[in-house]
Amino acid sequence: MKRNSYYLLALLAGLLCSSLTFAQTRVIEGTVTDESKHPVSYATISIKGTTKGTITEKDGTFKLNAASGAIITIRAVGFTTKEITLGGEDHLSITLAENPSDLNEVVVTALGVKKEKRNLTFSSQEVKSEEILRAKEPNVLNSLTGKVSGVQITSSSGMPGSSARIVIRGVTSIAGENQALIVMDGVPINNDETDAAFDGGPGTNRLADIDPGIIESINVLKGAAATALYGSAGARGVVLITTKKGNINRKPTVSLSSGVSFENTIFPDRQYKYAQGNKGVYIDGETAKASTSWGPAIDTLTANGKKVPGHNPLKDFFRTGVTTNNTISVDGGNATSNYFMSYSYFNQQGTIPNTDYTRHSIFAKYNTQISSKLSSTFQFTYSNVLNHKMPEGYGLENPLWTVFMGPVSYDFHPYQNADGTQRLYRYSRNNPYWVLDNVLNTSTVNRFLPLLTFVYAPNDWLSVTERIGADIYTDHLNYHVNTNDITYTTGLVYTNNQNFRQYNHDFIVQLKKQIGKFNSSLMLGNNIYANYSDYMTAKGLGLAKPGYYNMASASTVTYTESMTRNRKVGFYAQAEVDYNRMIVLSLSGRYDGSSVLATNHTYYPYGSAAAGFIFSELFTDKLKETVNFAKVRASYAVVGNDNVVAYSTQTPYLQAVIAGDASSNLNFPYNGQNGFLINSALGNANLKNELQKEFEIGLETKMFNNRIGLEASYFDRKMSDGLVSGISLANSTGYSSTTINSAKMETKGVEVLLNLTPVKTKSFSWDVTINYTKLNSKVLQIGGGLDQTSIGTIYAVKGQPWGSLFGTKYARTTDGQLKINDAGLPYASDEYGIVGNITPRWTGGITNYIRYKQFGFSFFIDTKQGGDILNSDDGYGLYYGTSKPTENRADRVVKGISDATGTANTVSVTGQQYFQQISGITEAVIQDDSYIKLRNVSLSYNLDKKLLGKMPFKDASIVLTGRNLWIHKAADFTGGDPEVNSWGNHNSGLGIYTFSAPTSRSFDCTLRITF
C-alpha cells in the first residue's frame, strides 16, 4: 500500500511540474532577416534539447511555442547558426550573418538519417521540389534527366504511362538488375516495370504512381560508400525521396495548383515525295497491292485523268495531346503536431488516339510530439492509375507499323470494306485506324504505401527509431484484339492479375556525444524485409462474337500462374567521428542474409571506410574570403548486388508449350491432357551475390562568397562474381545450360558539378548549374569458357565496354573498302559481330535560373555524346522506300572494290536496288544517338502582395513551361528523338529503336494559389 501511495505521489508531482511548464509556455512571434534586412525564408528554428521547432515563412516570419529560459537555435543555408536564450519578450527580430565558409545545408542520407552536407564523406546530389515540379514530367524519374552527374535516365517511348530507366554510375551487373534502389522516407519502394502490352512495347515503371507534387527533395546517393548501409540492395546506387510535411504553429494553409499542357508529336524523318509502287511504276493499293513506295513522284502523279492527292500519314494519324494536372493540399499544425495532406488528379490524353494515362493520388502525413521524449509520424499514400495504350515494337498489332511505313499516295480512310473486312494497301499489315478501334491494352493499378515511425529520445545524445513501412499494389491488365486481325484472325483476349506486397522494418539506435573538439556518433540497426508477388494470366483465342471481349467467349483458354516470395534480414552499424569540424572519419558495415542465396552463402558482410578533410579550416581569414570552403574526401567500400532471382538455386518444372505461330492454340492442356517439363536450365545451388569494390576520391569547394561551388569525384569500381546465364552443359547431364558466378567488370568515372552565381543583387540574381559525367567500362571476364554473352538485344564482350550491338557487317577488303558483287552492290560478310555500342562517351547538363523581382526565368539544356542505336525503323524504311535517305533515287556507282575485277567498281545501280540491298545489313542502320536538348524552358510570375490587396490569397503565381522545344541530333539519326528506348527499362531491350510512340514537344500553363 505504501509503495502504491509513493507511485501516486510521484505521478501527481510529475503532473504538477508538467502543468507549471505548460503554464510558462507562450507563443512567441518573430522575424528572421539577413544583414541587409532581407527576409530569410525557410530557416529552421528549434528548441534546443527537444524535437520541437518551426520554419520561417517566405517573408521570414515565424511563430513558436516556447518557455522563458529556453534556448532556440536558428539555422539557414549560407548563414551562421545562431542561438538565443529566451527572456520575457513576445517578439524577436533575429539577424543572421552570412557564413559562406560553412555548409549548413542538411541532407537526407542512407536510412533517412539527416546530416550536414559539409560532413559527408561520399558523393551525393540533391534536387529540390522546385526543380522537380518545373520539369512538368508525370514520371518522377524523368524530372531528374540531365540534372544529376553520374546518372543516366532513359525514357522508353512517348506512349502515356511509358517507363523510364535510371542507372547510377553505369551498369553494375553483366545481365542482372542495374537500376537504382528507390527509397521514400526511409522505406524501399517498388519500381518494377509492369503492364507491358502482350504484343510488344514497354510497360510502366511503378515509381510513376507517385505524385511529384508531394516530394520535398530527392537526394541521389551515388557511390558504394554512400549506400553501404543498404547492403546488397544498395550496390546500384540509391534514390532517396523525401516527402513534404506540415509546419508547427501554423494555421491551415490551402494551396491550389491547376495546369494544362498541349503536346505535339516530334516526328521521325521520312520521305514524302514518292508514291506507292515499284521501280517507278505507280500502284494504287486498291486494284493492286504493294508494300513499297518506289513509285513515281507524287507532285506530278495522275491516275484515270485525275491528280493523285498526297497525304501525310503521320500528321493525319497523330493528334494534339492534352494533359491536365490539378492538385489541392493543406498543411498546418500547432505547438506539438503538424500535418500535410494532398490530392491530385493527373490526366494525360496521348498523341495517339484512344491512349491515355490518368492518376488519382492521395497523400497524408501527420507528425506529433506524443511526449517530450516520444514523437511519431504516420503517413499514407494511395494512388489509382488507369492506362490505355497501344502495342509498340514489331508486333503487327502496333498501328505505327503502317503509319511510319505507309505510302503518301494512299488514304487509309475508310478502314473497312463493304463486307466488313479491313481495307489494306498491302497484305499482312493491319490498317492503323482499324487497330485504334479494335486493339487496346488497359491496365488498372491500386497502390497503398503506409508508413509508421516512432522516435524515442530520452535525452539529447540518444534516440531510438522504429520504422514500419509497406508497399502494396494490385495490378489488373486487360488486352484484346478483335476478329479480322492480321495475326489473330479469330480474335484474342488476355488478362494478367498481379498482387504485390512488400514489407520493411527498421529498428535504429543512434548515439551522439561531443567531447571537447570531438563530435562522435554511432548508429546500430536491424532491418527485416519481405517481398511477395503472384500473378495469374489467362489467354483466350477464338472469340464467339466479334467485339465481345470476355474470357468466357474464347474457344480456347490457357492459364499461367506464378508466385515469388523472398526475405532478407540485415544488421548494420555506422560510426562517425568529427574532429574540430575539420576531419571526419566514417565506418559503415552491414551483415545481410537473403533467402534467395545458396544455403552456404546466405549471409554476407559488406562495409565501407571513408574520410573527409575540410582543409579550408586551416586557411587564414583573408584566404577564406576567397576560398570559403574546401574539402577532400576518400572512401573505399565493398558491397553486394542482390541479382540472384528467387528460386535460381533450384530447377523448376514449367508448363509445356507446343511450338506454333502467334495465333496457334497448340498449348497444353491439349486434348484434355496437361504437360510439364523440367526446365532445361539447371539451377545452381551455389549462387551468391555479385560483389562490388569501389574506391572514390572527391573535392568540394566554395569560393567568392559561395558564388562558385565545385564538386568533383573520381571513382574506380570493380565487379566480381557476376552472374552469367546460358553456360553450356554436356547433353549427358540432361540439361542444356546453367548460371554461375564468374563475370568481372571494371568501371571508372569522373563526375563534376559546378554551381555559379554570376549576378546577385536585391532584385536580380542569376544562378547556373553545370554537370558533367564521363564513364569508362570494360568487361574483364565472362567465365565458363565464354568471351561474350547475349543480354537480349545487346552483348557483354570481354575486353569491350558493356552494351555491344551485334549484327551483320559489310563485306570489306583488308584495307576497309566495301566489296561489290557482280550486280554492283555491296553485301554482308559472313561475320556476325560488333557493329556498335550503346555506351555514351560523356553526358552533361546546364541549368540557368534568372530571377528579377517577381519574375523567374529558367532554361535547361542537356546532352549525351556518343553511343549507338540500332534504328530498326530505318532498316524497314530503306527497303520500303519510305526512309529519308531514299529521297535520293538517282542511279549511282557504289564506291568499292569489284569482286569480279579486283578494281574499283564501275557498275551502275538504281537507288531502289542500292537501298533495298543494304536494308538487310545491320551495320547500315547503326546510328549515332547523340543529342543536345533544350529540355525545359520556364517563365514564372509571383504576384506582388500589393497587387493581391484585399484578396483572400497569401500567394499566387503563374508558370509557363515548354518541354523538348529543340533537339539537335546526329546527322545520321533519322528518328524523331534519339532518347527513346523501344523495349522498356530492362537490360534485354536496350539500344533498339523500333516503331515506338514518338515523344512530344509540349507547352504548359500552371496557376498556383495559396490561401
Side-chain angles (χ1 to χ4, degrees):
M1 184 68 180
K2 288 182 178 180
R3 179 174 295 181
N4 292 338
S5 300
Y6 173 78
Y7 286 143
L8 181 59
L9 289 172
L11 177 61
L12 292 173
L15 291 173
L16 178 60
C17 292
S18 178
S19 300
L20 290 173
T21 301
F22 282 118
Q24 295 171 354
T25 300
R26 66 190 190 283
V27 177
I28 297 172
E29 298 182 353
T31 304
V32 180
T33 60
D34 61 17
E35 292 171 314
S36 301
K37 299 304 178 184
H38 298 145
V40 178
S41 305
Y42 310 116
T44 301
I45 301 171
S46 58
I47 301 175
K48 192 172 183 179
T50 73
T51 57
K52 298 178 181 179
T54 188
I55 298 174
T56 60
E57 303 284 350
K58 287 185 178 181
D59 59 0
T61 60
F62 70 91
K63 290 182 181 180
L64 179 68
N65 278 0
S68 297
I71 299 174
I72 62 171
T73 304
I74 304 96
R75 293 186 178 89
V77 177
F79 295 92
T80 301
T81 299
K82 192 169 187 176
E83 290 188 349
I84 297 175
T85 302
L86 296 179
E89 64 272 45
D90 293 327
H91 188 277
L92 296 174
S93 295
I94 302 170
T95 301
L96 295 183
E98 289 192 14
N99 186 4
S101 64
D102 193 10
L103 289 179
N104 290 311
E105 184 179 1
V106 175
V107 296
V108 178
T109 63
L111 300 172
V113 176
K114 294 183 179 180
K115 294 184 179 180
E116 285 187 273
K117 184 171 175 58
R118 62 165 283 146
N119 285 349
L120 296 184
T121 54
F122 50 77
S123 177
S124 73
Q125 186 175 336
E126 189 175 51
V127 179
K128 296 290 189 181
S129 172
E130 294 80 5
E131 293 183 69
I132 297 169
L133 294 178
R134 196 181 298 143
K136 299 299 179 187
E137 294 281 359
N139 193 322
V140 174
L141 283 185
N142 287 332
S143 65
L144 302 179
T145 303
K147 291 185 172 65
V148 183
S149 61
V151 174
Q152 184 175 359
I153 294 171
T154 308
S155 300
S156 53
S157 81
M159 187 74 69
S162 60
S163 64
R165 169 185 170 93
I166 179 169
V167 174
I168 299 176
R169 289 188 169 178
V171 299
T172 56
S173 178
I174 292 289
E177 180 60 76
N178 281 299
Q179 292 198 84
L181 174 69
I182 309 296
V183 178
M184 190 166 81
D185 292 325
V187 176
I189 63 173
N190 181 266
N191 188 37
D192 290 346
E193 182 183 69
T194 67
D195 299 330
F198 180 77
D199 279 308
T204 300
N205 68 296
R206 293 274 55 101
L207 191 58
D209 301 336
I210 305 301
D211 173 22
I214 68 171
I215 296 176
E216 180 64 34
S217 65
I218 295 177
N219 194 24
V220 179
L221 305 183
K222 304 175 187 177
T227 63
L229 284 177
Y230 288 105
S232 56
R236 304 180 293 272
V238 180
V239 176
L240 299 177
I241 299 174
T242 302
T243 58
K244 294 178 179 179
K245 64 178 182 179
N247 295 308
I248 65 173
N249 293 320
R250 180 173 178 173
K251 294 180 179 179
T253 300
V254 179
S255 297
L256 299 175
S257 174
S258 183
V260 60
S261 67
F262 301 92
E263 290 92 27
N264 296 309
T265 304
I266 301 173
F267 294 136
D269 300 335
R270 63 156 291 166
Q271 68 85 8
Y272 296 93
K273 293 183 178 180
Y274 295 95
Q276 183 179 7
N278 187 41
K279 297 180 180 180
V281 177
Y282 174 58
I283 298 174
D284 63 7
E286 299 287 356
T287 58
K289 310 290 184 184
S291 62
T292 60
S293 292
W294 291 105
I298 188 70
D299 58 350
T300 58
L301 179 62
T302 59
N304 300 321
K306 296 182 180 179
K307 179 172 173 37
V308 176
H311 301 274
N312 188 318
L314 280 72
K315 285 186 178 180
D316 291 345
F317 182 79
F318 290 94
R319 65 181 182 182
T320 298
V322 180
T323 298
T324 58
N325 190 15
N326 296 285
T327 302
I328 180 171
S329 65
V330 58
D331 72 285
N334 55 25
T336 59
S337 304
N338 64 80
Y339 57 87
F340 177 85
M341 295 179 290
S342 171
Y343 166 75
S344 70
Y345 174 63
F346 178 87
N347 183 297
Q348 180 183 12
Q349 300 294 315
T351 56
I352 296 178
N354 298 343
T355 64
D356 59 71
Y357 176 84
T358 59
R359 180 183 64 214
H360 295 269
S361 299
I362 297 174
F363 177 77
K365 180 187 284 188
Y366 177 69
N367 299 284
T368 184
Q369 192 74 36
I370 299 174
S371 69
S372 60
K373 298 178 181 180
L374 180 63
S375 63
S376 68
T377 300
F378 172 76
Q379 70 184 58
F380 180 77
T381 307
Y382 168 73
S383 59
N384 169 264
V385 173
L386 176 64
N387 194 188
H388 296 107
K389 64 174 65 174
M390 290 290 164
E392 299 175 76
Y394 293 118
L396 300 186
E397 285 60 51
N398 177 5
L400 301 182
W401 255 108
T402 40
V403 171
F404 288 172
M405 300 296 126
V408 296
S409 57
Y410 185 79
D411 185 357
F412 285 98
H413 292 95
Y415 66 70
Q416 279 186 326
N417 296 310
D419 61 358
T421 59
Q422 285 196 61
R423 180 172 164 269
L424 308 173
Y425 76 91
R426 57 160 296 178
Y427 298 110
S428 304
R429 292 292 183 273
N430 287 313
N431 186 301
Y433 296 95
W434 181 91
V435 171
L436 292 180
D437 287 345
N438 293 276
V439 178
L440 190 64
N441 191 89
T442 303
S443 63
T444 305
V445 175
N446 286 284
R447 190 172 188 181
F448 307 84
L449 293 101
L451 174 61
L452 184 61
T453 304
F454 292 97
V455 179
Y456 177 68
N459 47 55
D460 59 359
W461 58 268
L462 173 64
S463 68
V464 180
T465 301
E466 185 167 34
R467 183 168 52 224
I468 306 169
D471 186 353
I472 304 168
Y473 64 79
T474 61
D475 188 344
H476 182 67
L477 181 145
N478 274 303
Y479 176 64
H480 70 253
V481 180
N482 206 354
T483 59
N484 198 30
D485 176 71
I486 292 297
T487 304
Y488 307 102
T489 56
T490 60
L492 164 77
V493 287
Y494 174 85
T495 64
N496 181 11
N497 292 312
Q498 180 180 1
N499 296 294
F500 178 87
R501 299 192 295 272
Q502 178 174 291
Y503 303 99
N504 190 86
H505 176 267
D506 280 292
F507 183 80
I508 305 171
V509 178
Q510 291 178 276
L511 301 95
K512 297 180 181 180
K513 196 69 176 178
Q514 184 170 353
I515 305 174
K517 294 183 178 181
F518 289 92
N519 194 359
S520 61
S521 65
L522 175 65
M523 179 174 65
L524 304 171
N526 164 249
N527 172 255
I528 299 175
Y529 167 89
N531 176 299
Y532 171 87
S533 65
D534 66 57
Y535 71 84
M536 176 177 283
T537 67
K539 176 185 175 183
L541 292 169
L543 301 182
K545 179 182 179 181
Y548 183 46
Y549 308 119
N550 189 296
M551 195 61 66
S553 74
S555 60
T556 303
V557 180
T558 305
Y559 290 95
T560 303
E561 185 177 4
S562 176
M563 183 274 290
T564 302
R565 187 194 307 270
N566 60 71
R567 195 167 186 261
K568 187 186 298 182
V569 177
F571 303 91
Y572 47 83
Q574 184 178 65
E576 194 167 279
V577 177
D578 170 6
Y579 172 71
N580 202 27
R581 294 182 62 79
M582 183 171 63
I583 299 175
V584 183
L585 300 175
S586 178
L587 296 174
S588 300
R590 178 155 175 154
Y591 192 56
D592 260 354
S594 176
S595 65
V596 302
L597 302 180
T599 53
N600 60 334
H601 292 295
T602 301
Y603 283 89
Y604 278 91
Y606 310 108
S608 69
F613 176 35
I614 306 172
F615 59 91
S616 57
E617 293 297 312
L618 302 177
F619 292 173
T620 63
D621 291 341
K622 186 172 183 179
L623 181 56
K624 283 185 178 181
E625 292 177 1
T626 303
V627 183
N628 315 125
F629 176 86
K631 177 179 73 174
V632 292
R633 50 179 171 77
S635 64
Y636 181 77
V638 179
V639 296
N641 196 358
D642 56 351
N643 267 320
V644 178
V645 178
Y647 315 119
S648 296
T649 57
Q650 304 170 20
T651 308
Y653 282 86
L654 302 176
Q655 189 172 32
V657 176
I658 303 173
D661 60 46
S663 61
S664 171
N665 62 354
L666 299 179
N667 293 312
F668 281 99
Y670 183 66
N671 285 338
Q673 297 295 317
N674 211 339
F676 287 85
L677 292 173
I678 195 166
N679 197 337
S680 61
L682 176 66
N684 185 347
N686 297 309
L687 290 181
K688 55 187 179 180
N689 273 343
E690 298 174 328
L691 202 62
Q692 308 284 344
K693 297 179 180 180
E694 182 176 282
F695 169 73
E696 179 182 341
I697 57 174
L699 171 69
E700 299 177 20
T701 64
K702 285 189 176 289
M703 297 174 286
F704 304 108
N705 293 327
N706 284 347
R707 301 284 283 273
I708 299 177
L710 173 67
E711 294 184 30
S713 300
Y714 167 81
F715 72 91
D716 186 342
R717 182 179 64 221
K718 291 180 171 61
M719 182 273 284
S720 59
D721 292 333
L723 293 162
V724 180
S725 59
I727 302 298
S728 296
L729 296 176
N731 292 333
S732 58
T733 64
Y735 301 94
S736 62
S737 64
T738 189
T739 299
I740 62 175
N741 291 100
S742 62
K744 295 182 180 179
M745 184 168 60
E746 180 181 60
T747 304
K748 298 179 180 180
V750 175
E751 301 164 350
V752 178
L753 177 66
L754 181 63
N755 294 295
L756 304 172
T757 304
V759 181
K760 184 178 181 180
T761 67
K762 180 179 179 180
S763 301
F764 182 86
S765 65
W766 176 24
D767 296 305
V768 182
T769 301
I770 303 171
N771 75 77
Y772 168 85
T773 304
K774 181 174 178 58
L775 303 177
N776 291 315
S777 70
K778 181 186 288 187
V779 178
L780 303 178
Q781 175 180 301
I782 300 298
L786 299 177
D787 287 333
Q788 65 189 44
T789 183
S790 171
I791 315 162
T793 57
I794 57 175
Y795 283 75
V797 182
K798 182 179 178 180
Q800 297 291 327
W802 184 91
S804 295
L805 292 168
F806 267 53
T808 54
K809 298 181 177 181
Y810 283 109
R812 296 180 183 272
T813 61
T814 55
D815 60 353
Q817 298 185 69
L818 293 179
K819 289 185 176 182
I820 307 298
N821 62 20
D822 293 348
L825 295 168
Y827 57 93
S829 69
D830 295 331
E831 180 185 4
Y832 185 84
I834 299 174
V835 291
N837 194 286
I838 67 172
T839 305
R841 293 191 305 274
W842 63 275
T843 60
I846 302 176
T847 301
N848 285 267
Y849 182 72
I850 299 170
R851 178 192 62 83
Y852 175 69
K853 293 185 178 179
Q854 279 75 43
F855 289 94
F857 176 70
S858 70
F859 61 95
F860 172 52
I861 299 173
D862 72 306
T863 182
K864 178 170 77 74
Q865 294 298 313
D868 300 308
I869 193 167
L870 195 162
N871 190 339
S872 180
D873 288 10
D874 230 25
Y876 287 97
L878 291 173
Y879 183 85
Y880 293 141
T882 56
S883 181
K884 184 68 174 178
T886 64
E887 280 186 351
N888 179 10
R889 304 194 167 187
D891 292 350
R892 67 203 65 201
V893 175
V894 182
K895 186 177 180 180
I897 302 300
S898 171
D899 290 342
T901 65
T903 60
N905 174 50
T906 58
V907 179
S908 178
V909 295
T910 66
Q912 180 176 350
Q913 289 175 316
Y914 171 72
F915 287 117
Q916 288 189 330
Q917 174 76 4
I918 68 171
S919 67
I921 303 173
T922 311
E923 186 180 349
V925 292
I926 296 295
Q927 299 175 354
D928 184 353
D929 67 343
S930 301
Y931 64 81
I932 303 173
K933 280 192 176 186
L934 180 58
R935 189 174 294 275
N936 187 280
V937 177
S938 179
L939 176 64
S940 63
Y941 176 71
N942 292 301
L943 273 68
D944 194 311
K945 290 191 175 182
K946 295 179 181 178
L947 295 177
L948 293 174
K950 296 182 179 180
M951 298 179 70
F953 311 140
K954 292 182 180 179
D955 291 293
S957 65
I958 187 170
V959 183
L960 304 176
T961 304
R963 290 190 299 138
N964 289 334
L965 298 185
W966 172 75
I967 301 177
H968 173 77
K969 54 188 181 181
D972 66 342
F973 182 75
T974 58
D977 186 347
E979 224 182 340
V980 167
N981 182 61
S982 298
W983 297 104
N985 60 18
H986 303 289
N987 293 331
S988 59
L990 301 175
I992 301 292
Y993 184 92
T994 173
F995 300 111
S996 293
T999 54
S1000 299
R1001 181 173 292 111
S1002 69
F1003 302 89
D1004 180 278
C1005 178
T1006 299
L1007 176 66
R1008 296 193 183 101
I1009 299 174
T1010 301
F1011 295 89

